[in-house]
Amino acid sequence: MNKSLLQRLLDFYHISYDDYLSLQKSYDLSSFYGEHKIDDIDKAVNLVKSSIANNEKIIVYGDYDADGIMGTSILVKMFSYLNYVVSYYLPNRSQDGYGITLKHAKEYVETGYKLVITVDNGISAFEPIEYLKAHGVKVLIIDHHQVQDKVPEVDAICHPIYSHFSETTSSGAFTAFMFSTSLLGRSDKYLATLASISLISDMMPLLDYNRNLLKTVIRDYKIGEFPAIDLLNDNETFDENAIGMKIAPRINSIGRLAEDDSINKIVNYFISDDKNFILNYFSTILEKNEERKTLSKEACSNINIEKGKKSVILLGEYKEGLIGLMANSLVNSLHVPTIVFTSSGENFYKGSARSPEGFNIVEAFSKLSNYLSEFGGHASAAGCSIEKNKFDEFCVEFNKLVESTPLEYVPIESIDLNLNEINEENLELINSFSPFGESWPSPLFKIKHIKTNALTFSRDGNHILTSLSLSLRLVGFSCPRSEVSQFDYIDAIGSVHKNSYKGRDYLEFQIKKYLDSNN
């Protein structure tokens, strides 16, 4: 073990050696049963047990994103373990919108449901829940979204912060998993795996129990055990990168493009034991994911934006499930705060916003809240809705705000690394800090003073592809020779990975950014 590199890693994460040793602690799933106590969990468990004992109709109301899909699947599968059949519903993004609606609340009263369980929504659904309670329907909220000054009057609530099982927030599906451990009296490996997917898809901080669960699931995952997940991951290694780059986008493609309640079939994909159905529906997921890529690319390619703008606000008849992807693509290429709006009903526009580092989009929305009907999100990604008659004035004020709020330069934090330190032993050390994600990023390294005339490039000259030895390569995608060769020496900032090519394993330093060594 390279002690010097270890200390540099500790400094990067601002932790002590004792903290590092704590990170190495091994968990098993049984530790998630009973170790993290949820306030009033007995009340929630007894509520469900009573409904089962009385053979009452139960419905689970989820959400259209990966977290909501995982949470719904966890609960429905949980009930199947108890041999109890329940109904479930995932809303359509454009027709239903987010969260349980008054329309559905009335429908559930009329059709005789006695217990409604919301997952990944419900903590701010005052009107529909009030209607359910007024008509004798019991309600259990399993949610993780921000709690307002008050909560709906329901029979029980499971919520990471409101229910005091940690100061670290988590996903709706993780909260559903924690509830399942109390109801079942055990931690189920498959339900834990579904919950782990939501931690990455919903960008939850990989700290405390979030990290512990994901690390445990990754360590114990066996290809061949869960066919639905294996297919989504092309039967490759299951880890946080696989979830973020492949599994979650494929799941989310269904909710982005579904035109009706067909989104609900994806829950059956995750709870079914029918291998033929799983294989057939996986084809649908792949088709929707390819359609999502094509539509998103076409939408962005048809947009002509004048260079030099300090912000971008677009309005068009875009598919609601694509506006976030469009905003993300545009901010990556233009590096300015970007909002993409589309019509949402007769009187509203719905917007999805992204911003580069140094501009807090939620703070901007907060300052302009008198124009917005609702908003929420994170510093770099947020959503909002606005009445159409306020849109023009909002655009003017948003642009003024961007003009008066210069982007703050956020320096890239990296760890100095020598080429001779890139070896198997040190890669193992680096990976001992994993899993990586929100609030716990993968470490970036800096290799200084690389002579540019010693670099080799791809045939088209657009990518650095340099073999430094039989087992080490330097790779930089979109690092064209024409730009790199302007400098005699560069400092390369990037990450270290193991890769394979033509059956041979090698280590790779992947360049994410390069700088003139003289600056």
Side-chain angles (χ1 to χ4, degrees), residues 500-513:
S500 60
Y501 181 67
K502 292 184 177 179
R504 182 170 57 83
D505 290 338
Y506 58 88
L507 296 178
E508 179 177 281
F509 186 89
Q510 192 171 110
I511 300 171
K512 299 186 184 299
K513 185 173 183 177

Side-chain angles (χ1 to χ4, degrees), residues 343-402:
S343 291
S344 179
E346 189 175 332
N347 299 315
F348 289 88
Y349 293 132
K350 194 163 191 176
S352 189
R354 300 291 185 273
S355 66
E357 281 202 60
F359 185 89
N360 189 315
I361 197 73
V362 170
E363 283 186 8
F365 282 173
S366 183
K367 290 175 182 176
L368 301 173
S369 60
N370 55 312
Y371 295 101
L372 300 172
S373 302
E374 58 182 11
F375 68 91
H378 311 283
S380 59
C384 66
S385 64
I386 186 171
E387 293 180 40
K388 291 182 176 179
N389 58 10
K390 295 181 179 179
F391 179 76
D392 290 341
E393 195 172 349
F394 167 80
C395 293
V396 171
E397 295 304 316
F398 181 79
N399 284 320
K400 282 183 183 177
L401 184 60
V402 172

